[in-house]
Amino acid sequence: MPLRRLTRLCTTALLAGSLLATAACGVSGSEGEASDEQPERTGKVSGQITFRTLQLKPTFTDYIQGVITAFEKKHRDVKVKWEDVPGEGYNEKLVADAQAGQLPDVINLNTDSFQLLADRGRLADIAALDPEAKGDFIPGAWDQYRLPGKKGVFAYPWYVTPEILTFNKKLYAEAGLDEDKPPATVEEYFDQAEQIARTSGGQVAAFMADPQGRLPGDWQKMGVPILNAKGDAFTFNTAKAVEWAERMRDLYQQGAMPKESLTGSQDINQLYGSGKLVFGPGSPGFIKDIKDNAPKIYAQTAVGEAITGKLGHIGIYTQSLGVRRDTKHPDAALEFAKWVTNGPNQVAFSKKATIYPSNAKGLDDPYFSDKGDGTDPETMARVIGAEELRDAQLDANTPVQWTNQVGDAVNREMHKAIKGDREPAEAVKRAEDAANKILATQQKQQKQQQKQ
């Protein structure tokens, strides 16, 4: 399953305060208002529609086909043609299909591919066509599918993954840390990493050095304003962002992070599973991997609430289902997308993969609240993650303007700062300049496309 890095949980996700969130995403319109050129519903659920998923075969073939079959049984006048495509080159294929007028009626979208199509006006405004839908979903997931400067919501949220905290409690205790007091802020996280480096004598590291999975989430949690109020310029060149780069550089030099991990060339699951890393990835799916492949380390693993920082928000990762704006069968496409994302179907999917429902009723299922005896990491990860999701906020997510291209440009500068090849203040300034240059280009292209 193509679960995207949790960075963009603020990533991401991507997810710091509601002021920042609102500013970053341009949330100003009422989703109940229809956008221009939306399809018109006829009330007749019929026709053949195409449903495209992203890399779900063969692992989830039976599940997806079962959902389709049940829908067709309920709506006898609808036929669903399912196609599953690989993740590599997915965005390029979507753009090509859009230009050729060959988009599927219902499309599985990650954050980047959603932005690509929605910015180009290729997706139907779900909120306008299905005004009752908002109440079905957790707010943090629903708000993911708004666009800066536009009214409406342009996709149904599908499955989601929240950020959590995982750590080796044995190594944690050996560093003199209390497992009942895990870090709640980025600054505390860095303080504990420093203590781990100091007390272990280089035998274990705290976390991975590559900033790709940490930004812009860490900055948002530290109160760094990622974007201006209009959402049309990056503004993260601040004293706090420089402080982040300075501490990362110092921790890297102290051995709190594996040297080779700066380039992302090391496998975090392998390092954690071999007992050489204290903090694991902030993803619930990681717990299952350790359970299957490193049972001894699994027994030493503890799970806690995500680091929220000053603003108290977590990162969430989401997938969605968009509906082609010019679909010939809007009623069938909308009903099908709504069917796939309803509570029961999302709960069933969650029991087959380490994911969570974006559907609020689905999240109320006892499966997500049963703690057992409170000692099993996988069970506790599920419960903690579900509790976090209920209050997950949009501003805890990576703003749509933080594209992969922007992330890569920022990461290149932060690598230099962490390695000691560039002064942190200069690296942050260069990163912001590069990000704004990319953003300006993207905005110019979008305006040109909208005129076409």
Side-chain angles (χ1 to χ4, degrees):
M1 179 168 293
L3 293 182
R4 193 168 157 209
R5 65 180 189 264
L6 283 178
T7 23
R8 295 190 52 93
L9 294 185
C10 185
T11 175
T12 217
L14 97 184
L15 316 176
S18 58
L19 288 177
L20 174 60
T22 302
C25 298
V27 181
S28 58
S30 166
E31 64 271 18
E33 297 180 40
S35 301
D36 294 335
E37 303 180 44
Q38 293 300 314
E40 293 185 8
R41 301 194 66 163
T42 64
K44 187 177 182 181
V45 184
S46 63
Q48 177 170 310
I49 58 173
T50 305
F51 174 39
R52 178 181 293 173
T53 56
L54 176 57
Q55 209 166 302
L56 295 181
K57 286 184 177 180
T59 306
F60 303 104
T61 296
D62 290 346
Y63 167 75
I64 295 294
Q65 190 56 59
V67 171
I68 292 172
T69 300
F71 181 79
E72 291 177 332
K73 186 176 181 180
K74 181 178 181 181
H75 299 281
R76 298 288 186 179
D77 294 331
V78 179
K79 291 295 181 185
V80 180
K81 181 183 179 182
W82 177 28
E83 58 183 37
D84 187 75
V85 300
E88 186 174 355
Y90 189 61
N91 288 347
E92 290 79 1
K93 179 174 176 54
L94 285 176
V95 171
D97 287 348
Q99 292 173 337
Q102 297 178 346
L103 280 176
D105 298 283
V106 180
I107 320 160
N108 183 176
L109 303 166
N110 59 31
T111 308
D112 283 344
S113 51
F114 162 76
Q115 183 183 10
L116 276 172
L117 294 188
D119 274 350
R120 288 168 167 77
R122 304 291 184 175
L123 300 177
D125 181 352
I126 300 301
L129 295 169
D130 188 2
E132 303 299 321
K134 179 180 179 180
D136 292 341
F137 298 92
I138 55 176
W142 179 255
D143 288 339
Q144 281 276 297
Y145 298 102
R146 305 177 190 268
L147 284 176
K150 291 186 179 181
K151 297 178 180 178
V153 175
F154 298 91
Y156 286 99
W158 197 7
Y159 56 88
V160 300
T161 305
E163 182 182 9
I164 60 172
L165 183 70
T166 61
F167 60 99
N168 185 315
K169 58 186 178 184
K170 178 176 179 293
L171 299 179
Y172 203 68
E174 289 175 354
L177 297 167
D178 183 350
E179 69 170 277
D180 293 326
K181 297 179 179 178
T185 68
V186 174
E187 291 87 347
E188 289 176 2
Y189 186 68
F190 286 165
D191 290 345
Q192 293 192 1
E194 186 174 340
Q195 184 167 330
I196 290 166
R198 185 175 63 251
T199 58
S200 72
Q203 296 303 302
V204 299
F207 59 85
M208 306 293 271
D210 189 357
Q212 186 175 25
R214 308 201 60 83
L215 296 177
D218 275 10
W219 285 351
Q220 289 174 306
K221 293 171 182 175
M222 294 173 74
V224 175
I226 304 300
L227 290 155
N228 64 7
K230 292 184 177 179
D232 61 2
F234 288 102
T235 56
F236 56 76
N237 182 14
T238 63
K240 267 295 181 182
V242 174
E243 176 188 326
W244 179 93
E246 291 174 339
R247 292 214 66 181
M248 286 287 286
R249 176 198 60 189
D250 295 346
L251 288 167
Y252 185 70
Q253 294 175 347
Q254 293 164 11
M257 299 173 269
K259 295 295 182 185
E260 295 77 10
S261 69
L262 182 58
T263 60
S265 59
Q266 289 181 303
D267 185 335
I268 186 171
N269 287 23
Q270 192 279 328
L271 278 176
Y272 183 91
S274 61
K276 296 180 180 178
L277 198 66
V278 175
F279 292 105
S283 166
F286 156 77
I287 299 292
K288 180 171 174 45
D289 181 81
I290 294 301
K291 181 179 181 179
D292 294 341
N293 299 301
K296 180 180 177 181
I297 300 301
Y298 179 76
Q300 298 173 5
T301 296
V303 180
E305 295 181 358
I307 293 172
T308 58
K310 296 179 178 178
L311 298 175
H313 297 150
I314 68 167
I316 62 173
Y317 158 84
T318 73
Q319 290 270 341
S320 66
L321 294 182
V323 171
R324 175 178 172 168
R325 192 188 67 187
D326 56 351
T327 176
K328 295 180 180 177
H329 308 289
D331 292 84
L334 284 162
E335 288 300 323
F336 179 71
K338 195 171 182 178
W339 173 262
V340 175
T341 59
N342 70 26
N345 281 329
Q346 288 212 43
V347 171
F349 198 10
S350 300
K351 291 180 179 179
K352 297 179 179 297
T354 309
I355 55 177
Y356 297 72
S358 62
N359 188 286
K361 291 182 179 177
L363 205 60
D364 288 337
D365 190 279
Y367 179 69
F368 298 100
S369 58
D370 183 2
K371 298 181 179 179
D373 63 4
T375 62
D376 178 59
E378 186 176 19
T379 301
M380 292 307 298
R382 182 167 60 241
V383 173
I384 290 173
E387 290 176 348
E388 291 182 334
L389 279 173
R390 299 179 194 285
D391 299 318
Q393 299 295 313
L394 169 65
D395 41 50
N397 295 336
T398 296
V400 295
Q401 293 91 335
W402 190 281
T403 61
N404 286 339
Q405 195 176 1
V406 169
D408 290 343
V410 174
N411 288 334
R412 281 194 292 272
E413 290 299 325
M414 294 306 104
H415 276 213
K416 294 173 184 175
I418 294 168
K419 199 174 179 180
D421 292 341
R422 200 188 303 284
E423 285 299 316
E426 178 65 17
V428 172
K429 180 182 182 303
R430 285 174 176 260
E432 184 181 270
D433 290 345
N436 276 327
K437 186 175 181 180
I438 294 168
L439 180 59
T441 300
Q442 293 172 337
Q443 291 172 337
K444 182 178 180 180
Q445 292 173 343
Q446 289 166 8
K447 289 180 180 177
Q448 291 174 340
Q449 291 164 354
Q450 289 170 354
K451 292 179 179 177
Q452 294 174 354

